Structure formats: C-alpha cells, structure tokens
Amino acid sequence: MKILIFWDVYWRIWRAALKKELPLLRKKYNPDFVIVNIENASSWRWPIEKHVVEIEKLWVDVMTTWDHIFDNMIKVKDYLDKIDSKLIRCANFIEYWEYNIAWKWYKIVEKNWKKLLVIHVMWEVFMNYKVSNPFLRVKEILKETELENLNWIIIDFHKETTAEWYWLWFFLDWSISFVFWTHTHIQTNDELILPKWTWILSDVWMSWPLYSVIWADYTSVEKRFLTWIGKWKIEQCLDKHYVVNWVCVEIWEDMKCESIEKIRIRGVL
Ligand SMILES: [Fe+2]
C-alpha cells in the first residue's frame, strides 16, 4: 500500500502547484491514499470552504488541519459538518458539550476492502491553545477503533518541540504504521524505523514559493525584522517559482512500514 503525504498547502501559489503536480505524481507513484495537511491553504490562520473543496477535487483522501482551525470556524464549518467531509481536526482539543465540537477527530478511509485510520493530534508547547494530553487521546482513539479491523494507522502530530515527539514514537511503537510531524516548516533528515516497524519522520516540511520567507513576501517582513517598530503587515509571496515536497510511504499488509521516500520538485507556474 502506498501513501503520498503532503504538508502545508501554502496559499495561492501552492494550491496551483498542487493542481499541476498531483496528477503527474499520481501517474508516477500510483498511490492508494493521498493525505494533505492544509495549514496555510487560504491564509496563515484558517481555510475557506472554497479552497478545501478545490483540494478535495484532486482526489485527496484526508485533509489534516492545525492549531488555528477554531479561529474562524465559520469559513469552513459547513464543509466540516458534512458526513463525507475529508477534513479532520486535531483530536485532542478540549471538548465541551455546549460548543459541539466533538466530531471529525479522526478518519477511517477504505479502499479495496482495506482500512486506513488517520489521527491528527497537537501538542500545546509554543502554541496559543490548550489541548488535552495527545498521548492518552491517541490511546483512546485506538481503543475506540479496535473493532474496525484496521490495516494501517498514520498519525499527524502537529507541534513545535522535539522531546514529546520522540517519546510518542516509542510510546506507540506497537501498532502504528507511520508517524509524522507537521508545523515547523522544515523537513528533517531523521526518518527512522523503530524495532516493531513503525516508520517515523519528525517533519515532512511544507511546499511553498521558492523565493519567500516561509510563505511571506520578503519585502513585507523587512520592517518587522529590522525594527519591530510601527505597524507592519505580512503579505503572501506571489512569485511563481515553487517547491513541492512530499513523502511517499509504503506499508505492508500487517501494519508494518516498508519504506519512506522524501521527494522534492521545483517548478514555475
Ligand atoms: Fe500550525
């Protein structure tokens, strides 16, 4: 079973780059599933429904989100509420019945009678949000889904720090196929296979305009970095050179991961 994983569909340029590159990648890799983290799909704080639907139409199976999902929920709530929504939220946001947020915490996708579970959790260090314990939440979800006869399990752990991340790897090395980290905007070189064949990669990176400051137009951040004085507004970079990063993961039938390939393409729209 082959899965393509993309992280961080960056605003306008990368949505266009994804539209251009994904059909070609499909042809080349023939993946069973495609997972995309859409942290910056519409802006750096929340997605709008139009863009989420645009990405879904590229035959994406699951879209994971990020720390800002509740900042402007109204922009994507209708889509998220749909029964067949491809979007999931971090599973360990603190639930409170009055706010009715207790759904779409994880997703099981099925193809050719095989089931893949995707779990998305977040760690709160250096984030502006309080969440419940992600390790215990993952265990709860595994318990909730244990009768589903899952073939593969993948976790997107959205976080900044490293110690908890390393610990999660070892904590879960008994039933998870692949764990990857998102949010730090850099691809790491630490892919590793654990003793029981869980593959891990502590960041899958992002895909962005090549000549930008993460995703920002470099002139728009100049005032901030030089003086931090007065008002400054960060503009998105609209240069048409892009870089697309993703990983291709191969997993055997019995939950064990066979290989991981990190790939990068540069292009111009
Ligand atoms: Fe994030």
Side-chain angles (χ1 to χ4, degrees):
M1 201 266 302
K2 221 180 261 180
I3 306 176
L4 295 187
I5 297 170
F6 299 81
W7 178 52
D8 209 343
V9 180
Y10 154 85
W11 289 14
R12 189 184 309 170
I13 296 298
W14 201 68
R15 287 200 312 271
L18 184 68
K19 233 181 249 176
K20 183 179 155 195
E21 297 290 349
L22 192 48
L24 304 174
L25 295 174
R26 255 182 204 294
K27 230 180 215 172
K28 187 171 173 192
Y29 287 90
N30 195 20
D32 299 278
F33 297 98
V34 175
I35 301 172
V36 182
N37 176 291
I38 60 161
E39 172 154 50
N40 292 304
S42 305
S43 78
W44 63 282
R45 289 185 78 86
W46 53 76
I48 61 172
E49 179 164 343
K50 184 178 139 196
H51 295 154
V52 175
V53 171
E54 212 176 274
I55 294 165
E56 185 190 324
K57 282 185 181 155
L58 300 173
W59 299 101
V60 166
D61 297 285
V62 182
M63 288 178 268
T64 58
T65 53
W66 66 105
D67 35 320
H68 295 293
I69 184 71
F70 289 115
D71 287 5
N72 200 350
M73 267 297 294
I74 193 79
K75 306 269 187 189
V76 77
K77 191 172 180 309
D78 288 346
Y79 176 85
L80 191 63
D81 285 347
K82 284 183 189 164
I83 289 174
D84 57 349
S85 158
K86 302 270 168 53
L87 198 61
I88 53 172
R89 298 172 186 162
C90 292
N92 59 325
F93 274 112
I94 297 164
E95 292 179 38
Y96 180 56
W97 64 272
E98 199 173 318
Y99 297 108
N100 196 23
I101 58 170
W103 72 102
K104 305 291 164 65
W105 296 133
Y106 56 84
K107 192 167 179 70
I108 296 172
V109 275
E110 195 172 349
K111 275 183 198 168
N112 303 325
W113 300 282
K114 302 282 185 196
K115 287 181 180 175
L116 166 71
L117 167 66
V118 182
I119 303 174
H120 184 31
V121 284
M122 186 170 84
W123 187 241
E124 64 188 22
V125 177
F126 302 135
M127 303 271 199
N128 293 323
Y129 304 86
K130 290 281 164 210
V131 289
S132 59
N133 187 302
F135 313 108
L136 298 177
R137 187 67 185 115
V138 168
K139 285 271 183 187
E140 273 172 27
I141 293 172
L142 295 178
K143 184 96 191 118
E144 271 170 54
T145 55
E146 70 183 354
L147 298 177
E148 290 280 353
N149 291 322
L150 298 168
N151 297 90
W152 308 288
I153 300 171
I154 284 188
I155 300 179
D156 173 352
F157 197 176
H158 203 68
K159 63 190 297 302
E160 290 267 7
T161 54
T162 50
E164 299 81 5
W165 164 249
Y166 280 90
W167 189 72
L168 178 76
W169 295 349
F170 293 98
F171 180 59
L172 294 174
D173 182 29
W174 54 277
S175 61
I176 305 295
S177 312
F178 180 55
V179 187
F180 64 97
W181 178 10
T182 57
H183 183 89
T184 49
H185 307 283
I186 193 75
Q187 190 172 67
T188 54
N189 197 25
D190 60 349
E191 63 268 33
L192 180 69
I193 187 163
L194 298 182
K196 292 174 194 163
W197 293 87
T198 293
W199 272 84
I200 51 177
L201 174 65
S202 67
D203 209 300
V204 295
W205 206 10
M206 67 187 297
S207 297
W208 55 5
L210 196 52
Y211 307 119
S212 70
V213 181
I214 299 186
W215 44 261
D217 179 277
Y218 68 94
T219 55
S220 77
V221 293
E222 185 175 281
K223 197 174 175 187
R224 176 185 173 186
F225 286 141
L226 291 182
T227 67
W228 291 77
I229 293 171
K231 287 198 168 146
W232 33 263
K233 186 169 180 267
I234 300 176
E235 306 283 351
Q236 63 172 309
C237 175
L238 295 175
D239 184 89
K240 292 197 172 358
H241 293 79
Y242 63 82
V243 55
V244 173
N245 296 283
W246 76 98
V247 293
C248 177
V249 182
E250 276 193 73
I251 307 174
W252 292 320
E253 294 285 315
D254 56 355
M255 201 74 84
K256 293 173 182 174
C257 205
E258 184 184 4
S259 69
I260 170 173
E261 189 182 349
K262 297 185 292 188
I263 309 146
R264 177 188 298 179
I265 293 178
R266 288 178 189 181
V268 188
L269 288 172

Coordinates of all heavy atoms in Angstrom, one line a residue, residues 6 35 51 68 74 89 100 117 119 123 155 159 173 192 211 216 218:
F6 N 1.5 15.1 1.8 CA 1.9 16.5 1.6 C 1.6 17.3 2.8 O 0.6 17.1 3.4 CB 1.2 17.2 0.4 CG 1.3 16.5 -0.9 CD1 0.6 15.4 -1.2 CD2 2.2 16.9 -1.8 CE1 0.7 14.7 -2.4 CE2 2.4 16.3 -3.0 CZ 1.6 15.2 -3.3
I35 N -2.8 12.1 1.5 CA -3.1 12.9 2.7 C -2.4 14.2 2.6 O -1.2 14.3 2.2 CB -2.5 12.2 4.0 CG1 -3.1 10.8 4.1 CG2 -2.9 13.0 5.3 CD1 -2.5 10.0 5.3
H51 N -11.6 26.7 -1.0 CA -10.2 26.1 -1.2 C -10.1 24.7 -0.7 O -9.4 23.9 -1.3 CB -9.2 27.0 -0.5 CG -9.1 28.4 -1.1 ND1 -8.6 29.4 -0.3 CD2 -9.4 28.8 -2.3 CE1 -8.7 30.5 -1.1 NE2 -9.2 30.2 -2.3
H68 N -4.9 26.6 14.2 CA -5.8 27.7 14.0 C -7.2 27.4 13.6 O -8.0 28.3 13.2 CB -5.2 28.7 13.0 CG -3.9 29.3 13.4 ND1 -3.9 30.2 14.4 CD2 -2.6 29.2 13.0 CE1 -2.6 30.6 14.6 NE2 -1.9 30.0 13.7
I74 N -16.3 29.6 11.0 CA -17.5 29.8 10.2 C -17.1 29.7 8.7 O -17.9 29.3 7.9 CB -18.0 31.3 10.4 CG1 -19.4 31.5 9.8 CG2 -17.1 32.3 10.0 CD1 -20.5 30.8 10.6
R89 N -10.1 17.6 12.4 CA -9.4 18.5 13.3 C -8.5 17.7 14.2 O -8.5 16.5 14.3 CB -10.5 19.1 14.3 CG -11.5 19.9 13.6 CD -12.6 20.2 14.6 NE -13.7 20.9 13.9 CZ -14.8 21.0 14.5 NH1 -15.1 20.5 15.6 NH2 -15.8 21.7 13.8
N100 N -20.2 21.9 21.0 CA -20.5 20.9 20.0 C -19.3 20.7 19.0 O -19.5 20.8 17.8 CB -21.8 21.3 19.2 CG -22.3 20.1 18.4 OD1 -22.0 19.0 18.8 ND2 -23.1 20.4 17.4
L117 N -6.6 4.3 9.1 CA -7.0 5.3 10.1 C -6.0 6.4 10.1 O -4.8 6.2 10.2 CB -7.1 4.6 11.5 CG -7.2 5.5 12.7 CD1 -8.6 6.3 12.7 CD2 -7.1 4.7 14.0
I119 N -5.0 9.8 12.3 CA -5.3 10.5 13.6 C -4.5 11.8 13.5 O -3.3 11.8 13.0 CB -4.8 9.7 14.8 CG1 -5.6 8.3 14.8 CG2 -5.1 10.4 16.1 CD1 -5.1 7.4 15.9
W123 N 0.3 19.2 20.1 CA 1.0 19.5 21.4 C 0.9 21.0 21.7 O 1.0 21.8 20.7 CB 2.4 19.0 21.4 CG 3.1 19.0 22.7 CD1 4.3 19.7 23.0 CD2 2.8 18.3 23.9 NE1 4.7 19.5 24.2 CE2 3.8 18.6 24.8 CE3 1.8 17.4 24.2 CZ2 3.7 18.1 26.1 CZ3 1.7 16.9 25.5 CH2 2.7 17.2 26.4
I155 N -0.3 8.8 12.0 CA -0.6 10.0 12.9 C 0.1 11.2 12.3 O 1.3 11.2 12.0 CB -0.1 9.7 14.3 CG1 -0.8 8.4 14.8 CG2 -0.3 10.9 15.2 CD1 -0.4 8.1 16.2
K159 N 3.1 20.1 16.0 CA 3.7 20.6 17.2 C 5.0 21.3 16.9 O 5.5 21.3 15.8 CB 4.0 19.4 18.2 CG 5.0 18.4 17.6 CD 5.0 17.2 18.4 CE 5.6 17.4 19.7 NZ 6.9 18.0 19.7
D173 N 5.1 2.5 19.5 CA 5.7 1.5 18.6 C 5.2 0.1 18.9 O 5.9 -0.7 19.3 CB 7.3 1.6 18.8 CG 7.9 0.6 17.8 OD1 7.4 0.3 16.8 OD2 9.0 0.1 18.2
L192 N 13.3 7.1 10.5 CA 13.8 6.0 11.3 C 12.8 4.9 11.4 O 11.6 5.2 11.4 CB 14.1 6.6 12.7 CG 14.7 5.7 13.8 CD1 16.1 5.3 13.4 CD2 14.7 6.4 15.1
Y211 N 11.1 31.6 -3.5 CA 11.9 32.8 -3.0 C 11.0 33.6 -2.0 O 10.6 34.7 -2.3 CB 12.3 33.6 -4.2 CG 13.0 32.8 -5.3 CD1 12.6 32.7 -6.6 CD2 14.2 32.2 -4.9 CE1 13.2 31.9 -7.5 CE2 14.9 31.4 -5.8 CZ 14.4 31.3 -7.1 OH 15.1 30.5 -8.0
A216 N 6.0 34.2 3.2 CA 5.7 35.7 3.1 C 6.6 36.3 2.0 O 7.8 35.9 1.8 CB 6.0 36.3 4.4
Y218 N 9.3 38.7 1.0 CA 10.4 39.1 1.8 C 10.4 40.6 2.1 O 10.8 41.0 3.2 CB 11.8 38.6 1.3 CG 12.3 39.2 0.1 CD1 13.1 40.3 0.1 CD2 11.9 38.7 -1.2 CE1 13.6 40.8 -1.1 CE2 12.3 39.2 -2.3 CZ 13.2 40.3 -2.3 OH 13.6 40.9 -3.4

